Amino acid sequence: MLLINSIFSISVGSVTADIPFAHVAFDGLRQGESNDLLFYKIEPDALRMAILWTWQKYKRPLLVTENGLGDAMHLGKHDEMRAAYHSAYLRTLVKTVKDFSVDIIGYCAWSLIDSFEWSAGYKRPFGLVHVDYEHGTLDRSLKDSSSFWIEMAETGVVPLAREPTSSTPSSNSPAAAIWTLALSVFLTLFRH
């Protein structure tokens, strides 16, 4: 059995330099800036490439470990993005298994409860269950994304959860770049 840890694969560039799927890119980040947004991206093709490379090289049953979304936006219990993340990755995993007959023996979401992360303390929770560290009560409660997991358990099908839309594009998104370009052209044309 081989373990694939997708966060490890993306975050330790020099160690994974010889692995073709582990391209480390820090788009939009300058040296010294926070890499919190790296833990907030939905890029399931990275998992597909990692699975295919590992399967083709070793032909052993695979276990996907510690795959999760770090809440860099501090959404707390209102984490629809986490459902979209796991939906995209699990749907990609199922398609990869069907298309390439890969032997996957499990998928472990990181993590069950919000926990201490060495690189961010309690400020970037990955948990499927919220823990109240802010008020010190340590109360646990289900996050909004729990409905995704409950539906999957009841139906045996990976639910389609779409990435939440925002009324204003983030500064790192392609939409933001398009809006910025359009605004620049508009201002240039009508400047005089």
Side-chain angles (χ1 to χ4, degrees), residues 4-71:
I4 296 176
N5 180 326
S6 60
I7 296 221
F8 175 82
S9 299
I10 321 176
S11 62
V12 291
S14 62
V15 175
T16 61
D18 295 332
I19 302 174
F21 62 82
H23 174 70
V24 179
F26 296 95
D27 295 338
L29 293 179
R30 287 180 230 121
Q31 190 170 2
E33 285 186 322
S34 170
N35 66 354
D36 281 350
L37 292 180
L38 291 175
F39 295 94
Y40 202 67
K41 289 186 175 186
I42 298 179
E43 297 181 9
D45 283 345
L47 178 65
R48 182 185 55 77
M49 289 185 296
I51 297 255
L52 289 176
W53 182 85
T54 307
W55 177 250
Q56 290 165 357
K57 185 158 179 85
Y58 299 103
K59 294 286 189 205
R60 296 277 202 221
L62 303 175
L63 173 63
V64 179
T65 66
E66 297 186 20
N67 192 39
L69 179 86
D71 182 6

Side-chain angles (χ1 to χ4, degrees), residues 110-183:
W110 183 255
S111 72
L112 177 60
I113 64 170
D114 288 340
S115 61
F116 182 84
E117 295 288 327
W118 289 110
S119 65
Y122 295 109
K123 295 181 179 156
R124 190 179 54 226
F126 282 83
L128 304 177
V129 175
H130 178 264
V131 178
D132 187 358
Y133 293 110
E134 186 178 340
H135 299 102
T137 65
L138 304 181
D139 287 341
R140 281 118 171 117
S141 54
L142 293 178
K143 294 182 179 180
D144 291 350
S145 64
S146 65
S147 61
F148 166 83
W149 297 99
I150 292 166
E151 181 180 341
M152 188 167 62
E154 289 174 346
T155 65
V157 174
V158 179
L160 175 60
R162 298 196 188 278
E163 193 171 335
T165 57
S166 170
S167 58
T168 58
S170 80
S171 60
N172 292 333
S173 73
I178 292 168
W179 279 109
T180 303
L181 178 61
L183 183 59

